[in-house]
Amino acid sequence: MRITWRPAAAGPFVAAGLATVLLVASLVWGRDDEAGFLNGRQLRLMAPAGPGGGWDQTAREMQTALRTEAGRTEVYNVAGAGGTIGLSQFVRFEGDPTQLMVMGLVMVGAIESNDSPVALDRTTPLARLLTDYEVIVVPADSPVKDMAGLVAAMKDDLGKVSWAGGSAGGIEQILAGLVADAIGADPAGVNYVAHSGGGEALSTLLSGRATAGVSGVSELEGQIKAGTIRAIAVSSPQRLPSLPDVPTLKEQGVDVELANWRGVVAPPGITAEDERQLEDLLVGMTRTEAWRETLQRRGWLDATLTGAQFERYIADERRTVTDVLKKMGLA
Amino acid sequence: MGDLLSGFADALTPGNLLWAFIGVTIGTAVGVLPGIGPALTVALLLPVTFRLEPAAALIMFAGIYYGGMYGGSTTSILLNTPGESASVATALEGNKMARAGRGAAALATAALGSFVAGTIGTIALSVAAPVVADIAVNFGPPEYVALMAVAFVTVSALLGPSLLKGGASLVIGATIGLVGIDTQTGQARLAFGMPSLLDGIDVVIVVVALFALGETFAHLIAGTGDSRVEPLRGQPMLSRADFRRSWPAWLRGTALGFPIGSLPAGGADVPTFLSYSLEKRLSKHRDEFGHGAIEGVAGPEAANNAAAAGVLVPLLTIGLPTSATAAVILTAFQSYGLQPGPQLFSESGELVWALIASLYIGNVLLLVLNLPLARAWVRLLTIPAYGIYAGVLVFACLGAFAAGGTVADLIVLTVLGLIGLLMREAGVPVAPAVVGLILAPLAEQQLRRALALSEGDWSTLVSSPLTVVLWLVVLLALVAPPALAFARRRSTGRDKQSVG
């Protein structure tokens, strides 16, 4: 039953060889000899959340806006736990200036509420880029028509009003807690149902099981304009240009304001020279036509802030958020 | 229909066909490697495509996407080494067939089944996407709980001959699935203070460890390094009888794969398990299951590829990316100025139709590429085991490293591989562990969400017509098999009496 070995074995080797050549070719292809301090290396940008969420969108818009200045940038997702899972992976890239991570207020809160062993002081903050605001939505066929209706329902039975949003301790849960606090209800009693990202929360809301949903304006804008969900309030100080018909929380008598800012950090231990050049790269990016067009299209507001000022800002935000979370019994 | 035709017109140029061919070749190649999935490949190639015409880029993505689904079956069948969770069910019967010298038939039914399912799935995508999306959107946490219950009761077919051992395997998998931060509370579970365990253990790593490493270690211990499998020669790849047994399984697999794949939290792995169980229940050759039944390959492979088409439904109709690959395709869309969301079809229909046309073309090319390759792949088995498994070990480690990127992943891989060896030595099947690993965390999260939304009221689980139907299926799945078996026993008993 023995068959000749050589011809029989040749096929797979040819196939394996072909596969290897193709893979190597595709890898070599993927590189680009860009000039500058990156020295031909590719920037890798981590979005520490699931696809479709705010960080993911920010990272992918940056990928487009950075194309002329830094060549091709790779974006990848590390989902879960308000970005702290991504953060704990990210700090392992110590000293590598080609690794960047999108982060923001949500991560500041998640570090506190998850009691994360890795905090933001382990990273090198580069720049705050933009702010997005939160929007409170209800299903299109919900009996709740406006914020007054939602407040009345919360005052009636706080537990009956369920909120679908992002990860536990994230900005959406903070907003729900702040709203409860502002109307005199117990923030710790809010019935908040966590999801790993805005997309997943949206699918729970669309199924009609949750009373309300909270997410970034940019994440829900398409759905709101299509009429699948109804926006009842935004968390900004003034009405937003992208949703001019949606009143603010303050307009409707709920004294809450919450900005969901996002920025970029580098790994710990990069040189001061690399830090300066990365900051220049990011500031340069915010000045491009492509980025301005992105902000306009997404309904984001420019909030560029770099260096020591950004570090101080993070420290301030950390204090504020910790305070709120303690009140809610989350930190 | 006119839209689809103009989509074909955009996609069917000689240049684009070349891109499609490159796409399916790369897709198949990476699908064969454990751990390196289509998402990673598309992400790697995405920057290259910025300079391509949108239609050319999309057609290449489509090729890679479907190609990856095809390639995954090859290693499952030949080496019992599934590269991803959706190929696990294929490995169960496929590898038994390969060992019995019927590897070519298994590969052929997988390739044809993938083609049939991929084509039907793509047709369903182009015709019924909005309708399917409407139903999928109604799936809230209670519906998912009921769906998971259906999955749990029907996968008993996967448990193997011993209910106790199969159950133990299921529990082992569920326990591995618990590792990591709990999404509802943000608390770490079974992480033992190790940061690398905080994000849980990647399903790919568990699958590769339990199957590939366990298999390799078992060969090492048994000292069967020189053994090789004799492929039967001079036989048609797919005999008439094989074909007759395969095609209903393809259709049933497609019917399971497409709808479940299009659910926002559905995925491609659940339908493959369901399909395997269904085929085992319905088969006239039930005694062949566990020794290489062709339906057990045809069904799950079709389910896998139909689900791949289904995953695109929520992406294209409501802008909801439900898999890593879908998210990457979304990025590609965005780089051409397309806005994901409910208006995608009405605003950017042209490119969407080009993508759908590309899926048809990619599917045909894959069949052209894979059917002849099946014979070549099977010769792989004539290499002695030590050669094959050395290669498997290298690719398993590479894949695990690619999935997580840390040494800790390799340690986890090795530890789980040893667990896989122990399970093998104890005669505990490893497939139920993968089922537990995938289903248990999903079921747990959805159950807790459902109860939080209803404030702890359990009646929420039967609060919609959909849930009631699904629970009835659960009941049927529990009651029907014993009742049927009883009826069959009685009738065969009577037959014997009349004969005797």
Side-chain angles (χ1 to χ4, degrees):
Chain A
M1 284 295 271
R2 201 164 245 272
I3 56 162
T4 44
W5 194 84
R6 277 173 195 287
F13 282 125
V14 171
L18 191 73
T20 314
V21 167
L22 274 165
L23 271 181
V24 170
S26 69
L27 284 173
V28 172
W29 223 353
R31 299 209 174 280
D32 204 21
D33 38 0
E34 300 292 337
F37 74 102
L38 288 171
N39 217 355
R41 286 175 298 177
Q42 193 183 32
L43 271 182
R44 292 188 82 225
L45 190 55
M46 180 199 285
W55 285 336
D56 181 60
Q57 290 177 351
T58 308
R60 297 189 190 280
E61 291 293 359
M62 284 178 67
Q63 183 181 36
T64 315
L66 282 170
R67 219 152 85 204
T68 43
E69 291 182 69
R72 304 193 253 282
T73 309
E74 185 195 336
V75 173
Y76 62 106
N77 300 81
V78 181
T84 52
I85 288 169
L87 177 66
S88 64
Q89 285 190 15
F90 185 72
V91 295
R92 294 185 206 146
F93 298 125
E94 185 148 358
D96 183 351
T98 63
Q99 301 281 350
L100 299 180
M101 179 178 70
V102 177
M103 46 71 74
L105 180 65
V106 178
M107 189 179 283
V108 176
I111 289 168
E112 299 302 327
S113 58
N114 292 348
D115 206 13
S116 162
V118 183
L120 276 169
D121 49 21
R122 290 275 307 278
T123 65
T124 309
L126 294 177
R128 184 183 70 182
L129 294 176
L130 55 95
T131 60
D132 189 4
Y133 289 95
E134 295 292 301
V135 59
I136 301 174
V137 296
V138 293
D141 55 1
S142 165
V144 177
K145 298 294 172 205
D146 51 17
M147 203 55 208
L150 191 67
V151 167
M154 285 174 80
K155 282 185 173 160
D156 190 39
D157 185 348
L158 189 59
K160 232 189 183 90
V161 177
S162 51
W163 299 70
S167 46
I171 184 164
E172 284 87 15
Q173 192 168 10
I174 293 173
L175 182 66
L178 285 173
V179 169
D181 198 27
I183 63 167
D186 176 18
V190 172
N191 183 2
Y192 184 81
V193 184
H195 296 76
S196 69
E200 217 186 313
L202 178 66
S203 70
T204 294
L205 187 71
L206 288 177
S207 79
R209 301 286 175 175
T211 317
V214 202
S215 194
V217 170
S218 53
E219 289 181 59
L220 295 184
E221 210 187 317
Q223 307 289 340
I224 294 169
K225 289 191 169 151
T228 47
I229 47 176
R230 181 166 57 233
I232 57 171
V234 286
S235 70
S236 51
Q238 282 99 33
R239 289 196 185 197
L240 296 170
S242 56
L243 295 172
D245 299 331
V246 183
T248 65
L249 281 169
K250 281 191 168 165
E251 270 180 70
Q252 303 182 78
V254 181
D255 190 16
V256 173
E257 199 185 299
L258 193 63
N260 182 13
W261 56 269
R262 290 176 210 141
V264 178
V265 295
I270 62 168
T271 65
E273 177 64 11
D274 281 338
E275 187 182 342
R276 194 184 56 75
Q277 275 174 321
L278 282 170
E279 282 177 16
D280 288 349
L281 179 75
L282 291 172
V283 172
M285 178 198 78
T286 63
R287 294 196 181 125
T288 59
E289 192 55 44
W291 186 252
R292 265 200 294 277
E293 189 267 328
T294 295
L295 293 180
Q296 168 85 30
R297 179 164 42 83
R298 291 281 189 188
W300 293 338
L301 302 171
D302 179 62
T304 310
L305 188 73
T306 55
Q309 278 174 302
F310 181 42
E311 266 166 67
R312 268 199 301 281
Y313 179 78
I314 293 179
D316 285 348
E317 287 286 288
R318 186 179 170 177
R319 266 192 299 280
T320 325
V321 167
T322 313
D323 220 43
V324 179
L325 288 172
K326 285 231 167 81
K327 228 176 188 169
M328 296 170 70
L330 287 171
Chain B
M1 202 61 206
D3 293 330
L4 182 60
L5 285 181
S6 69
F8 269 113
D10 287 337
L12 264 179
T13 65
N16 284 348
L17 278 179
L18 180 69
W19 287 117
F21 189 74
I22 294 175
V24 295
T25 313
I26 296 177
T28 309
V30 296
V32 168
L33 303 178
I36 304 175
L40 191 64
T41 318
V42 178
L44 270 174
L45 290 177
L46 195 60
V48 185
T49 58
F50 281 142
R51 291 184 198 154
L52 287 180
E53 284 289 304
L58 287 180
I59 195 171
M60 195 162 96
F61 292 151
I64 294 173
Y65 185 51
Y66 274 7
M69 296 290 161
Y70 266 71
S73 62
T74 308
T75 45
S76 301
I77 290 170
L78 296 182
L79 307 176
N80 201 17
T81 307
E84 17 128 34
S85 50
S87 309
V88 168
T90 309
L92 292 178
E93 295 303 316
N95 189 245
K96 296 280 167 24
M97 284 182 74
R99 294 211 173 149
R102 306 195 58 226
L107 285 175
T109 195
L112 281 167
S114 296
F115 171 74
V116 170
T119 305
I120 297 178
T122 312
I123 292 172
L125 175 67
S126 34
V127 178
V131 183
V132 176
D134 273 350
I135 298 169
V137 152
N138 281 323
F139 258 72
E143 283 81 9
Y144 281 114
V145 174
L147 181 67
M148 293 304 143
V150 173
F152 267 120
V153 296
T154 49
V155 294
S156 58
L158 281 162
L159 295 183
S162 160
L163 205 61
L164 184 67
K165 286 179 174 177
S169 177
L170 200 68
V171 172
I172 290 173
T175 311
I176 297 172
L178 279 180
V179 175
I181 289 181
D182 165 42
T183 49
Q184 290 308 300
T185 58
Q187 297 301 307
R189 298 190 294 195
L190 298 180
F192 307 107
M194 279 180 277
S196 54
L197 289 181
L198 275 182
D199 40 346
I201 301 173
D202 198 319
V203 178
V204 169
I205 292 183
V206 181
V207 170
V208 170
L210 289 184
F211 276 84
L213 260 63
E215 179 94 3
T216 310
F217 292 159
H219 268 278
L220 197 65
I221 287 187
T224 47
D226 280 328
S227 68
R228 54 183 80 169
V229 175
E230 192 66 44
L232 290 186
R233 306 181 103 200
Q235 270 202 345
M237 271 203 299
L238 209 58
S239 70
R240 196 174 291 264
D242 285 339
F243 189 80
R244 240 196 329 270
R245 287 173 62 181
S246 289
W247 72 262
W250 295 336
L251 296 184
R252 283 191 292 262
T254 310
L256 282 173
F258 185 74
I260 298 180
S262 52
L263 295 179
D269 22 42
V270 176
T272 59
F273 297 135
L274 288 179
S275 167
Y276 180 83
S277 307
L278 184 69
E279 291 313 322
K280 190 170 175 185
R281 288 254 159 90
L282 293 180
S283 175
K284 291 198 189 82
H285 311 267
R286 201 184 300 198
D287 48 316
E288 279 183 34
F289 271 82
H291 309 284
I294 196 161
E295 298 96 330
V297 181
E301 257 319 289
N304 181 4
N305 277 58
V311 162
L312 296 176
V313 170
L315 175 71
L316 297 181
T317 51
I318 45 180
L320 215 61
T322 53
S323 75
T325 320
V328 178
I329 293 177
L330 190 66
T331 315
F333 273 19
Q334 282 169 333
S335 66
Y336 299 121
L338 274 78
Q339 274 312 298
Q343 290 127 322
L344 185 68
F345 259 101
S346 50
E347 282 177 7
S348 323
E350 208 173 300
L351 270 180
V352 178
W353 286 112
L355 175 73
I356 291 178
S358 310
L359 292 173
Y360 284 105
I361 297 167
N363 229 339
V364 175
L365 281 178
L366 274 168
L367 190 68
V368 172
L369 183 76
N370 276 281
L371 217 45
L373 262 186
R375 279 182 185 284
W377 282 121
V378 167
R379 299 211 189 113
L380 198 64
L381 291 176
T382 57
I383 303 172
Y386 59 80
I388 291 182
Y389 286 102
V392 166
L393 215 52
V394 168
F395 281 120
C397 292
L398 265 181
F401 197 72
T406 59
V407 181
D409 288 320
L410 293 179
I411 298 171
V412 170
L413 179 80
T414 315
V415 171
L416 287 174
L418 290 174
I419 293 177
L421 173 67
L422 282 179
M423 287 168 73
R424 235 163 263 258
E425 295 296 306
V428 176
V430 287
V434 177
V435 176
L437 171 73
I438 292 162
L439 288 185
L442 262 173
E444 188 220 347
Q445 291 301 332
Q446 299 290 5
L447 179 63
R448 285 169 64 193
R449 272 184 202 145
L451 290 179
L453 289 167
S454 71
E455 288 185 273
D457 180 2
W458 289 81
S459 70
T460 184
L461 296 182
V462 287
S463 59
S464 72
L466 255 173
T467 51
V468 173
V469 170
L470 287 168
W471 285 110
L472 283 178
V473 174
V474 171
L475 214 63
L476 204 67
L478 283 177
V479 175
L484 279 175
F486 181 68
R488 199 173 296 152
R489 246 200 319 278
R490 282 190 59 176
S491 68
T492 51
R494 214 173 292 141
D495 287 349
K496 270 182 195 150
Q497 275 171 3
S498 62
V499 170

